[in-house]
């Protein structure tokens, strides 16, 4: 389901829910997208940009063993980031972005390898994306996919676990 930030905020308001974000490759773009909507403060509580691996561990509680086994460019890391920022902020739902925006490979993954994590009541999952374009395009597409994923979950169009 293609959804805008406005759509997502409306769904969250209808559910009496809030959202927070943990970002790596998007560098704050997801937070900027969500806060560009008038009235966003009714549902968006805040977020963190944990670009450095150490901040993923120290601020979000991503386990060192998880990073050692799977790397930060992984579904397990995206899930852990989402859970961590949800705990940190007390939001109902959390979105997390991690991956490779480019131009160089990271952890052996090519640019465009992205994982979006979502955590919330009865939701703990990550999706893998293979995106195309330059750094900016990959970041923008990641934000759009993250918004669409949570909107689809809230509408019952996506399975919440997996």
């Amino acid at each position: 389901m293609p959804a805008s930030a406005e759509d997502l905020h409306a769904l969250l308001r209808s559910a009496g829910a809030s959202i927070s974000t943990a970002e790596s490759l998007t560098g704050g773009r997801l937070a900027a997208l969500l806060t560009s909507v008038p009235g966003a403060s009714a549902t968006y509580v805040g977020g963190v940009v944990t670009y450095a691996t150490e901040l993923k561990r120290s601020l979000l509680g991503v386990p060192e063993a998880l990073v050692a086994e799977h790397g930060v460019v992984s579904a397990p890391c995206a899930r852990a980031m989402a859970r961590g920022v949800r705990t940190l902020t007390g939001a109902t739902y959390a979105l997390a972005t991690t991956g490779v925006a480019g131009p160089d490979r990271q952890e052996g993954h090519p640019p465009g390898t992205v994982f979006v994590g979502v955590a919330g009541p009865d939701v703990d999952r990550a999706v893998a994306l293979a995106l195309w374009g330059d750094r900016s395009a990959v970041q923008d597409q990641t934000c759009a996919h993250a918004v669409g994923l949570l909107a689809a979950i809230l509408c019952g169009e996506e399975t919440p676990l997996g």
Side-chain angles (χ1 to χ4, degrees):
M1 164 187 169
S4 67
E6 292 87 357
D7 296 334
L8 179 56
H9 282 298
L11 289 166
L12 290 164
R13 274 192 307 277
S14 292
S18 60
I19 184 172
S20 62
T21 54
E23 301 181 68
S24 187
L25 87 146
T26 49
R29 284 187 187 215
L30 182 55
L33 175 64
L34 291 171
T35 59
S36 70
V37 177
S41 61
T43 56
Y44 184 72
V45 298
V48 295
V49 176
T50 54
Y51 214 63
T53 300
E54 178 51 39
L55 288 181
K56 290 174 182 67
R57 291 192 297 249
S58 64
L59 290 177
L60 300 176
V62 175
E64 192 169 333
L66 183 149
V67 173
E69 182 177 350
H70 300 283
V72 295
V73 181
S74 67
C77 185
R79 290 174 62 197
M81 289 171 64
R83 287 191 302 265
V85 78
R86 181 173 181 241
T87 298
L88 182 67
T89 62
T92 314
Y93 293 95
L95 289 170
T97 62
T98 189
V100 188
D104 300 321
R105 297 174 78 86
Q106 182 179 346
E107 297 179 350
H109 298 284
T113 303
V114 173
F115 297 90
V116 175
V118 60
D122 301 320
V123 179
D124 181 10
R125 70 174 296 195
V127 296
L129 304 171
L131 305 175
W132 298 99
D134 65 12
R135 184 175 181 79
S136 183
V138 168
Q139 291 170 325
D140 288 342
Q141 291 172 65
T142 300
C143 293
H145 280 284
V147 166
L149 174 62
L150 183 53
I153 289 169
L154 290 170
C155 288
E157 297 172 7
E158 278 277 339
T159 57
L161 299 174

